[in-house]
Amino acid sequence: MPGRIGGATVVLLAAWILGVGASPAAAQGSLNVYCSVQLEWCQTLATEFTRHSGVKVAITNKGSGEVFAQIKAESANPRADVWFGGTGDPHLQAAEEGLTTAYRSPNLAQLHPWAVKQAEQSGYRTVGIYMGALGFSYNTELFKKKGLTPPRCWADLVAPTLKGEVQMANPASSGTAYTALATIVQVMGEAKGFEYLKRLHANVNQYTKSGVAPVKAVARGETLVGISFVHDVVTEMVAGFPVAGVTPCEGTGYEIGSLSVVSGARNPDGARKFVDWALTAPAQSLGARSKQFQVPSNRSAEIPKEAPRLAEIKLIEYDFKKYGSSAERRRLLDKWDKEVNALPR
Amino acid sequence: MLALSALAVLAPVLLAAEVLARRGHLRGDRFAAASLLIIVVLVAVFVFLPLTRVLTAAVQGPDGTLNVGALWPRLTAEKIWTLACLSSARRCGVAWNTLALALLTASGTTLLGLAAALLVTRTALPLRRLARLLTVLPVITPPFVIGLAIILICGRSGVVNALLESWLGIPPTRWIYGWPGLLLAQLFAFTPIAFLVLVGVVESVSPTLEEAGQTLGGGPAHVLGTVSLPLMAPGLANAFLVGFVESIADFGNPLVLGGSFNVLATEVYFALVGAQYDQGRAAALAMVLLAFALGAFLVQQRVLGGRAYTSVTGKGDAGIPLALPRALVRTLQAVAIPWLAFTVAIYGMALAGGFVAVWGRDHTLTLQHFVKAFGVEWSAGGLLWTGGAWNSFWNTVRLSATAAPLSAAVGLLTAYLLHRTRFAGRRAFEFGTLLSFALPGTVIGIAYVLAFNTPPIELTGTGAIIVICLVFRNMPVGVRGGLASLEQIDRSLDEASLTLGAGGATTARRILLPLCKQALVGALVYGFVRSVTTVSAVIFLVSGDTDMATTYIIGRVVNGDYGVAIAYSAVLIALMVAVIVTIQRVVGVRAVGARAAESAP
């Protein structure tokens, strides 16, 4: 009968609500993983770990900034056991605030020195699982059309020919762009670095909010050049877009994707088992299967053939301890906002 | 479990209501007293408590200790309030950006919404049903899809620029990134909400009053300006308020199209989850945002204050709705038709993305995205749901279908209490119901995690927390729509019913509810649609078991996997159209004894 809400409907609704209320976060004995890499990678990790250990895994897929905010908000009664992936800075921040707990995996010995260093610097509260170098991407079709030579160095990005054609993310919102800011300061020194950023400001058409936005804009021809991680460029290339990646000749910084165990985890044994497994070579080869091209931290993990060759990249001695600390980060971001971002273009 | 604890809270509340009614408050009406107390308790627990939790961060130092001195510099930061853009090429404060954009958006959506409402209800517009559907499409579209489609059409490598370059030699520009593009996207996204609020209001304007105006010698334009429009004032003010608040709380569009133009909603988000990790700053920015919402609310109260807008009375209404002046009809068509054409273009563009291999690059037709998301296979054991999207899809359906009737019920009941009863602190209560709507979803999400992660109310990780969040976030639309409708219904109807011996509950159910059907449909539709498309509020509330469609879609968009994101969006749009049609069928239309014109002009 139209126009009447029948008693049956009400009962049905009530049943539904109660059903909704009763569904718990995760069954006992399973492992709650907050996962900050691409969804397919997360899902493959979950299935493979269950196959390996018999522990059921519940994946929650979120960006690293969001996971950090969530773990912080939940700290009185933590919900997550493990936090997998995402750039290192929020992991270091979480370690600094005691949101994550120390664990020395026996498998640390199988890792590259940079990953072990990440663990040492955080008091073993986090460990590196992959590395991605910073660089730029450019649109090959548009460069050909305009008859320009592609940039090779940081210095090329401030050329007058690229006025209004460079895109980078806003370092206050994006971890990628903060890595770029810290890299430039470390490559050129703070005074010269900020002079450079001011000149770059004139060539930047917009500071995007998300770190992957510039490379996507390059792929679709919305801008000529974007500053981003080079493995993200490979992802666009593989999807069929006319982009190419460059790592700057003066040297460049990098991120260390990290893995942490949450303080007060409900399944600490499962969490440690997961860390041990995630550091092994077979587990680290799963990223490439999901078309993600970071460099794994296990020395014997297979490196995808599309991945940027570390040997061809001039990496700087990036100081994660200094530039990952909240005081230094706040100072640099404030300075960048006042002295660079506030300038007219 | 949950039901039992709810009952334990409910019993004393009902007892208190009984006492209140016995002592003669609220005209001794037990129904009104009980409803009022229940809603007050609910709003206190699910709106004020979480907000207080998150806003206290504004008076805390980075390490969580109390630091009241930090509040002032955070609130008055130059970055928020500078007016430098007026006198130089430097940027203006984020507060002014937000305010200017919100005023433009609210004015634009109210005007466009009114145009659409007049066209749909008062003219014999060809394709009226289609127009009605098209106006609703932007509301039911998951976030980001519109922004991306606008980029593909108006972006630097978009269709429009490509044509301009090849025909007129105009070099491609990036005007779409920044406030012009943002305004366009917001007009596009929020006009339908203004339409939903206004269509009920336009239909409720009494034809008798308009006829009286004409009998007294007024021409159509004169009657429209002096009778019809003034009677719509509450609706217009409500539509403006909703547009304003939607604009300042919008997060998806500024993220995709904002460029370097910053608004408060994105600033709050990135203060919270960006490279700064500064909860104090986020809380201070959220306070500025709330102050704007409060300001808009107060202005609206002052504008409407104390006038009468009643047009549905107990007397039979036999008038014929006013025919619109011809010049006005042409103007309305000139505005509405290009807008509808643009809608079609955007949706054509967006939906095409679900059927091609790589959107914007490789346009080979394919169904692979649908298979990836919604694949189903027959096997020996029966049906296998192989698509990756099924889990989040069923979750979304279940949680949204639970949240929509609840938010409509809470919203309309609140509107009834606000309008038909008198109690101390009514204005403050009304504003309280708006609070959770005005804040960006991210802030609400974090607030819910902070407030409901530990006993006595431990809800994180369940579906219930998502439902509750959606109910209280979406109830303001029910409140606004209900208020606009009740404003037009004469109190003599209630009084007649009460005199005949019916109680408050019976009067509300038998007299007012049927006359508020339009508002009920609006609240149900909007409650469902917002629950399905909301993203920022639920991002912190979903867990592995309660994943939602939008969080799944965002994951795809972030990875540039637009094909699956769009295929999923298309399925959601189809779902919502089906639900809207069903709701309209089941609830039906209000019949207010007015004749239709014999022959359409």
Side-chain angles (χ1 to χ4, degrees):
Chain A
M1 209 208 284
R4 285 281 167 103
I5 296 167
T9 322
V10 175
V11 172
L12 210 74
L13 265 175
W16 213 346
I17 297 158
L18 294 182
V20 164
S23 64
Q28 280 301 312
S30 72
L31 190 72
N32 242 333
V33 177
Y34 284 5
C35 185
S36 301
V37 293
Q38 198 229 15
L39 181 64
E40 259 125 40
W41 189 353
C42 295
Q43 283 169 341
T44 327
L45 279 169
T47 10
E48 290 301 313
F49 181 63
T50 306
R51 186 171 311 181
H52 166 83
S53 66
V55 177
K56 240 192 95 195
V57 178
I59 290 282
T60 303
N61 186 213
K62 273 172 217 174
S64 53
E66 278 151 359
V67 169
F68 173 78
Q70 181 146 13
I71 288 181
K72 193 168 174 175
E74 290 172 351
S75 59
N77 187 7
R79 305 273 150 184
D81 298 308
V82 178
W83 176 12
F84 181 93
T87 193
D89 284 345
H91 281 271
L92 289 176
Q93 178 82 21
E96 190 182 310
E97 297 189 16
L99 298 170
T100 49
T101 190
Y103 173 56
R104 274 181 96 147
S105 169
N107 292 349
L108 279 176
Q110 302 176 23
L111 305 185
H112 283 291
W114 45 264
V116 179
K117 200 173 158 202
Q118 171 90 343
E120 283 163 0
Q121 280 178 345
S122 67
Y124 298 95
R125 284 170 194 270
T126 190
V127 59
I129 39 172
Y130 60 79
M131 174 211 261
L134 187 76
F136 357 111
S137 58
Y138 63 92
N139 187 302
T140 49
E141 275 176 11
L142 286 177
F143 263 85
K144 208 188 235 170
K145 191 174 146 199
K146 298 206 171 213
L148 294 170
T149 22
R152 292 274 156 246
C153 305
W154 288 114
D156 296 339
L157 296 190
V158 294
T161 45
L162 288 180
K163 185 157 177 60
E165 291 295 353
V166 181
Q167 218 173 78
M168 76 180 264
N170 188 325
S173 60
S174 146
T176 309
Y178 176 72
T179 307
L181 171 61
T183 296
I184 287 165
V185 167
Q186 289 172 80
V187 168
M188 306 178 193
E190 187 163 329
K192 276 200 177 144
F194 268 85
E195 275 317 302
Y196 172 83
L197 286 165
K198 283 176 201 164
R199 282 167 64 206
L200 183 65
H201 182 74
N203 277 6
V204 168
N205 57 52
Q206 60 164 302
Y207 294 104
T208 61
K209 291 173 181 79
S210 136
V212 287
V215 63
K216 296 199 181 299
V218 169
R220 287 167 198 279
E222 295 293 307
T223 187
L224 285 186
V225 181
I227 297 177
S228 61
F229 287 117
V230 278
H231 55 260
D232 290 332
V233 185
V234 180
T235 307
E236 297 301 314
M237 246 154 73
V238 172
F241 287 100
V243 287
V246 177
T247 46
C249 66
E250 297 98 332
T252 195
Y254 54 93
E255 66 163 351
I256 295 179
S258 305
L259 171 62
S260 311
V261 176
V262 177
S263 296
R266 296 176 178 200
N267 187 353
D269 294 336
R272 286 192 285 267
K273 225 184 264 176
F274 183 86
V275 172
D276 291 344
W277 171 78
L279 296 180
T280 61
Q284 294 216 344
S285 309
L286 296 176
R289 253 212 251 163
S290 320
K291 291 190 189 156
Q292 300 298 305
F293 303 107
Q294 291 90 333
V295 178
S297 67
N298 188 302
R299 287 194 305 269
S300 42
E302 167 194 348
I303 299 177
K305 66 176 190 321
E306 299 92 339
R309 300 284 118 181
L310 273 191
E312 294 159 21
I313 300 173
K314 195 173 156 194
L315 288 180
I316 61 168
E317 225 7 76
Y318 193 103
D319 188 346
F320 286 101
K321 188 146 182 89
K322 178 174 178 195
Y323 293 95
S325 77
S326 45
E328 179 68 4
R329 186 168 49 227
R330 199 160 289 183
R331 187 185 72 81
L332 276 181
L333 288 176
D334 276 346
K335 185 169 176 178
W336 179 82
D337 195 67
K338 288 208 178 77
E339 295 184 11
V340 179
N341 194 24
L343 291 179
R345 247 173 283 165
Chain B
M1 254 308 279
L2 204 74
L4 280 180
S5 45
L7 215 64
V9 177
L10 201 60
V13 170
L14 289 180
L15 201 69
E18 183 72 33
V19 172
L20 217 62
R22 287 263 170 96
R23 296 184 63 184
H25 294 283
L26 296 152
R27 289 180 307 197
D29 186 346
R30 223 176 286 146
F31 168 70
S35 322
L36 181 64
L37 286 186
I38 289 174
I39 302 257
V40 165
V41 167
L42 286 176
V43 168
V45 172
F46 293 114
V47 178
F48 284 107
L49 176 70
L51 273 186
T52 324
R53 286 301 303 268
V54 79
L55 291 184
T56 43
V59 289
Q60 286 174 337
D63 49 354
T65 51
L66 188 70
N67 181 4
V68 183
L71 179 63
W72 188 247
R74 275 175 181 154
L75 277 179
T76 55
E78 185 248 351
K79 211 180 153 185
I80 306 182
W81 295 108
T82 173
L83 274 168
C85 65
L86 297 181
S87 52
S88 70
R90 299 170 85 93
R91 64 188 172 162
C92 264
V94 57
W96 300 117
N97 286 352
T98 310
L99 192 61
L101 181 71
L103 288 174
L104 285 173
T105 300
S107 317
T109 52
T110 309
L111 286 176
L112 283 169
L114 179 64
L118 284 174
L119 272 180
V120 166
T121 57
R122 292 295 178 92
T123 67
L125 180 75
L127 305 173
R128 249 171 65 164
R129 292 191 73 89
L130 177 73
R132 204 161 179 151
L133 177 69
L134 281 182
T135 50
V136 180
L137 263 181
V139 190
I140 63 179
T141 305
F144 297 85
V145 174
I146 297 283
L148 292 170
I150 289 182
I151 289 177
L152 279 197
I153 291 180
C154 303
R156 195 170 80 133
S157 296
V159 182
V160 172
N161 270 321
L163 291 179
L164 283 179
E165 192 181 19
S166 64
W167 292 348
L168 305 169
I170 299 172
T173 56
R174 286 192 197 87
W175 67 273
I176 198 77
Y177 301 103
W179 72 267
L182 194 46
L183 177 62
L184 182 73
Q186 288 199 339
L187 284 179
F188 195 72
F190 303 141
T191 295
I193 299 166
F195 171 78
L196 282 178
V197 172
L198 286 170
V199 79
V201 174
V202 172
E203 277 174 354
S204 299
V205 170
S206 166
T208 303
L209 295 177
E210 293 181 336
E211 231 170 31
Q214 282 180 302
T215 314
L216 291 170
H222 188 65
V223 172
L224 186 75
T226 56
V227 178
S228 317
L229 278 182
L231 283 173
M232 295 174 201
L236 291 172
N238 272 324
F240 188 90
L241 182 64
V242 171
F244 184 89
V245 170
E246 281 274 7
S247 169
I248 60 176
D250 181 22
F251 170 72
N253 289 313
L255 189 70
V256 177
L257 289 168
S260 299
F261 182 85
N262 288 327
V263 293
L264 284 168
T266 47
E267 285 287 298
V268 175
Y269 176 80
F270 286 112
L272 211 51
V273 309
Q276 314 161 65
Y277 315 118
D278 193 343
Q279 273 199 9
R281 202 173 147 251
L285 288 166
M287 283 179 175
V288 176
L289 205 60
L290 277 182
F292 283 170
L294 178 63
F297 173 76
L298 291 177
V299 169
Q300 187 228 24
Q301 293 294 319
R302 181 143 295 186
V303 169
L304 287 182
R307 277 181 242 159
Y309 303 97
T310 315
S311 69
V312 178
T313 62
K315 303 174 199 84
D317 196 330
I320 295 170
L322 175 79
L324 297 176
R326 195 152 296 171
L328 180 65
V329 173
R330 279 208 205 98
T331 321
L332 291 182
Q333 284 172 341
V335 175
I337 289 170
W339 187 57
L340 290 180
F342 189 57
T343 311
V344 173
I346 295 263
Y347 280 89
M349 201 61 156
L351 290 181
F355 297 92
V356 297
V358 183
W359 198 29
R361 187 71 197 166
D362 177 0
H363 292 141
T364 332
L365 289 178
T366 170
L367 281 175
Q368 69 185 53
H369 306 306
F370 284 89
V371 174
K372 204 166 159 190
F374 292 102
V376 174
E377 273 171 29
W378 284 105
S379 75
L383 206 57
L384 267 184
W385 308 82
T386 53
W390 283 116
N391 178 33
S392 59
F393 179 79
W394 290 120
N395 270 331
T396 300
V397 171
R398 201 164 70 114
L399 298 178
S400 304
T402 312
L406 289 176
S407 66
V410 174
L412 291 184
L413 196 57
T414 306
Y416 166 79
L417 292 170
L418 287 173
H419 197 262
R420 288 306 210 242
T421 60
R422 292 280 165 272
F423 53 91
R426 206 162 49 95
R427 288 281 166 250
F429 175 62
E430 183 177 0
F431 178 68
T433 63
L434 258 184
L435 279 176
S436 65
F437 191 64
L439 275 180
T442 330
V443 177
I444 301 281
I446 280 287
Y448 265 63
V449 173
L450 284 172
F452 305 123
N453 187 45
T454 45
I457 313 179
E458 189 178 344
L459 290 172
T460 41
T462 65
I465 194 172
I466 299 178
V467 168
I468 292 170
C469 179
L470 292 173
V471 166
F472 288 93
R473 192 154 164 73
N474 297 334
M475 90 183 231
V477 174
V479 177
R480 295 289 104 194
L483 280 178
S485 287
L486 285 173
E487 196 79 59
Q488 295 178 321
I489 300 170
D490 195 87
R491 274 168 206 277
S492 63
L493 291 174
D494 313 24
E495 279 153 18
S497 165
L498 290 170
T499 314
L500 290 171
T506 315
T507 308
R509 187 167 56 87
R510 301 273 302 269
I511 308 292
L512 295 177
L513 191 60
L515 287 170
C516 288
K517 266 188 183 170
Q518 204 69 44
L520 177 63
V521 169
L524 278 175
V525 164
Y526 194 74
F528 183 79
V529 157
R530 277 278 296 222
S531 303
V532 172
T533 57
T534 197
V535 56
S536 47
V538 298
I539 221 157
F540 291 109
L541 303 179
V542 298
S543 64
D545 294 333
T546 56
D547 200 11
M548 296 277 280
T550 40
T551 44
Y552 185 89
I553 291 177
I554 293 309
R556 316 315 304 203
V557 169
V558 167
N559 289 302
D561 198 351
Y562 298 125
V564 172
I566 290 164
Y568 201 157
S569 304
V571 170
L572 285 183
I573 288 174
L575 167 79
M576 284 184 275
V577 168
V579 168
I580 291 173
V581 171
T582 314
I583 290 176
Q584 274 171 343
R585 283 275 159 77
V586 171
V587 181
V589 214
R590 169 180 72 175
V592 192
R595 281 179 291 144
E598 267 84 26
S599 57

